[in-house]
Amino acid sequence: MKSIARITVSSLVALTLLTPPLWAAEDTAGFVDFGKFAKPGEGRQFVEVNVGAALISIAARITEKSEPEVAELLKGLKSVRVNVIGLDAANRGEMTDKAAKIRGELESKGWERVVTVQEKQQDVGVYLKHRGEEAIEGVVVTVIDGDKEAVFVNVVGDIRPEKLAVIGERLNIEPLKKAAESIKKS
Amino acid sequence: MEPPTLSFPPMPLLTPAPAAPAAVRRRHVWRWIALGVLGVFMAGAVTVYQSFRASDETRLVRQTILEVQPGGWSKQMEFGVGRLPVAAAQWVLRFVPMDPAARTAVQSLRRADVAIYQRLAQSAAGDSADLALRAREALARRGWEPVVAVGEAHESVLVLMPKAASSLRRFNVCVMVLDEQRLVVASVGANLETVMASLNAGDLLQNFGAL
């Protein structure tokens, strides 16, 4: 009886340790909670994209044969989250404050600011969370684009900001492509 | 004078009961056969009914919307095909000449359902974003999370997938489109490995990303 219980417990522990895809991205260091966004008002649009580990691994499998380097890039990711909120006079202040608050929290938690641009009507911030010298655990991009929209991006996994465009292209996430272009321009 | 002799009737326990007539035995057998046939028929009827019902997630969205706006929606259509009818259709379609892409799509399907509800004129137009949020929260409690959510005040589109690990073999997706007039919910379960084997991988990823 004791040996059966021991085998059962050992199996459960092994199963937990050997199934990384089931670990929630929320538990990883590169994950950032942007909080809730107010529901869109009249004439304002919102877009939310939330691609988790399971879907990323499916995408990696699909591209494995035709584009192995892209598949390797995707395999390093745990989640891709994008929030786009249409701006108007009513919510511009709130979104600007939200972006500033998120940036402050990131800096206090040891995230490295790699890009900060505030020009014309664009406000772009890119932050990286490092793990050791070489690896990256997460990327956060915040963009306040004048009167148009606010964009918040969090990619959890080992990814350089310059590769975000590739991810956006391969997963066909338009807002992520736009955010990557903003980084390139800045 | 001889002593009286006592005779006792045979004790029932020690004497086997007389065998039932053959006609009675046949009636008992036929009764069991009839019950068995009825049971199989009932099980079949339930299976067929379950096979053509809308999926749990579709009915949950409908239930949530109706809770928020009771009496505000009418059902235009609600139809689903489960594993059994899909498997039957796949077997039949093997013998039907078809376009290869269409055949692949049919062979990869495991289940599908669609439901359309019309907003009644007398109900308030309401806030589609709020209704979509409620439906999203209800589905989240059942293990579905949004992959894509797009919307504005009066229109919302949600694409959801189960939180539990999906794979190419067990791919499930639910799409909800809500506007001022109509709610459309569609849910599909498919085996994408079948599709991958025959389609160009780049095309598949573009379609996948277009979600």
Side-chain angles (χ1 to χ4, degrees):
Chain A
M1 199 60 152
K2 279 187 186 172
S3 62
I4 291 173
R6 201 179 305 134
I7 290 169
T8 306
V9 169
S10 310
S11 305
L12 285 172
V13 169
L15 194 64
T16 308
L17 292 174
L18 291 173
T19 51
L22 296 178
W23 293 343
E26 291 87 338
D27 297 334
T28 58
F31 178 85
V32 173
D33 185 2
F34 294 137
K36 291 197 184 299
F37 293 91
K39 60 184 181 183
E42 198 65 43
R44 271 191 277 135
Q45 196 185 51
F46 79 90
V47 176
E48 181 185 338
V49 177
N50 182 13
V51 181
L55 212 48
I56 290 172
S57 69
I58 290 174
R61 260 200 73 183
I62 290 171
T63 54
E64 214 160 20
K65 285 183 183 167
S66 58
E67 292 174 289
E69 62 283 352
V70 174
E72 274 309 305
L73 196 63
L74 290 171
K75 281 177 187 172
L77 304 183
K78 294 188 177 66
S79 76
V80 177
R81 288 157 50 237
V82 180
N83 289 89
V84 180
I85 299 93
L87 293 180
D88 61 16
N91 72 343
R92 191 176 306 115
E94 179 196 344
M95 286 299 117
T96 306
D97 291 344
K98 192 178 190 76
K101 184 183 168 200
I102 289 169
R103 289 173 187 172
E105 283 176 3
L106 291 175
E107 288 177 15
S108 70
K109 288 177 184 173
W111 286 66
E112 179 196 354
R113 184 176 55 188
V114 294
V115 173
T116 302
V117 175
Q118 288 174 331
E119 64 178 17
K120 294 179 187 174
Q121 295 205 326
Q122 268 220 347
D123 182 354
V124 180
V126 181
Y127 291 79
L128 292 183
K129 178 73 172 172
H130 289 277
R131 186 179 67 242
E133 293 289 326
E134 297 291 328
I136 290 172
E137 287 181 312
V139 176
V140 168
V141 179
T142 63
V143 178
I144 304 291
D145 189 3
D147 295 337
K148 294 182 207 167
E149 59 195 13
V151 182
F152 299 86
V153 177
N154 179 210
V155 179
V156 180
D158 193 3
I159 179 91
R160 305 290 312 181
E162 55 269 20
K163 296 291 185 185
L164 285 178
V166 176
I167 301 297
E169 183 69 39
R170 288 298 176 268
L171 294 180
N172 206 10
I173 301 174
E174 201 58 43
L176 185 57
K177 282 195 266 187
K178 279 189 188 173
E181 278 167 19
S182 304
I183 297 170
K184 271 189 195 170
K185 285 180 195 169
S186 58
Chain B
M1 191 170 159
E2 290 181 2
T5 56
L6 297 174
S7 66
F8 297 94
M11 293 177 67
L13 287 176
L14 300 178
T15 308
V24 172
R25 283 203 300 276
R26 278 197 294 274
R27 269 208 299 277
H28 287 168
V29 167
W30 278 113
R31 191 180 301 167
W32 283 112
I33 291 174
L35 280 173
V37 169
L38 185 64
V40 168
F41 177 75
M42 295 286 289
V46 168
T47 303
V48 168
Y49 170 71
Q50 296 276 2
S51 295
F52 290 97
R53 259 191 353 161
S55 62
D56 289 343
E57 56 272 16
T58 300
R59 285 182 285 118
L60 180 62
V61 169
R62 177 240 293 159
Q63 182 189 329
T64 304
I65 301 294
L66 288 178
E67 277 172 6
V68 175
Q69 292 186 335
W73 297 83
S74 73
K75 181 169 68 179
Q76 284 195 315
M77 185 180 103
E78 196 176 272
F79 180 74
V81 282
R83 297 293 299 268
L84 189 61
V86 166
Q90 286 170 342
W91 185 82
V92 167
L93 288 173
R94 270 193 225 170
F95 308 104
V96 174
M98 284 176 78
D99 176 70
R103 184 181 300 284
T104 302
V106 168
Q107 292 299 327
S108 70
L109 194 64
R110 290 189 294 110
R111 59 165 188 89
D113 67 272
V114 64
I116 302 175
Y117 309 97
Q118 181 79 28
R119 193 190 294 267
L120 297 175
Q122 64 268 24
S123 71
D127 188 341
S128 292
D130 186 49
L131 288 175
L133 181 62
R134 302 272 193 118
R136 173 177 165 164
E137 287 169 351
L139 285 167
R141 287 191 286 273
R142 292 287 184 93
W144 290 76
E145 62 180 2
V147 176
V148 176
V150 180
E152 51 185 23
H154 298 301
E155 291 177 359
S156 289
V157 176
L158 276 180
V159 179
L160 305 106
M161 290 182 65
K163 273 184 210 165
S166 292
S167 65
L168 282 171
R169 190 180 290 270
R170 297 179 64 81
F171 186 83
N172 292 287
V173 65
C174 177
V175 178
M176 189 186 98
V177 179
L178 175 64
D179 63 19
E180 287 178 317
Q181 299 298 324
R182 207 167 285 117
L183 165 67
V184 179
V185 186
S187 179
V188 166
N191 178 356
L192 290 187
E193 284 188 350
T194 314
V195 180
M196 257 193 73
S198 54
L199 287 183
N200 177 276
D203 291 338
L204 182 60
L205 193 58
Q206 283 297 311
N207 291 327
F208 156 86
L211 285 177

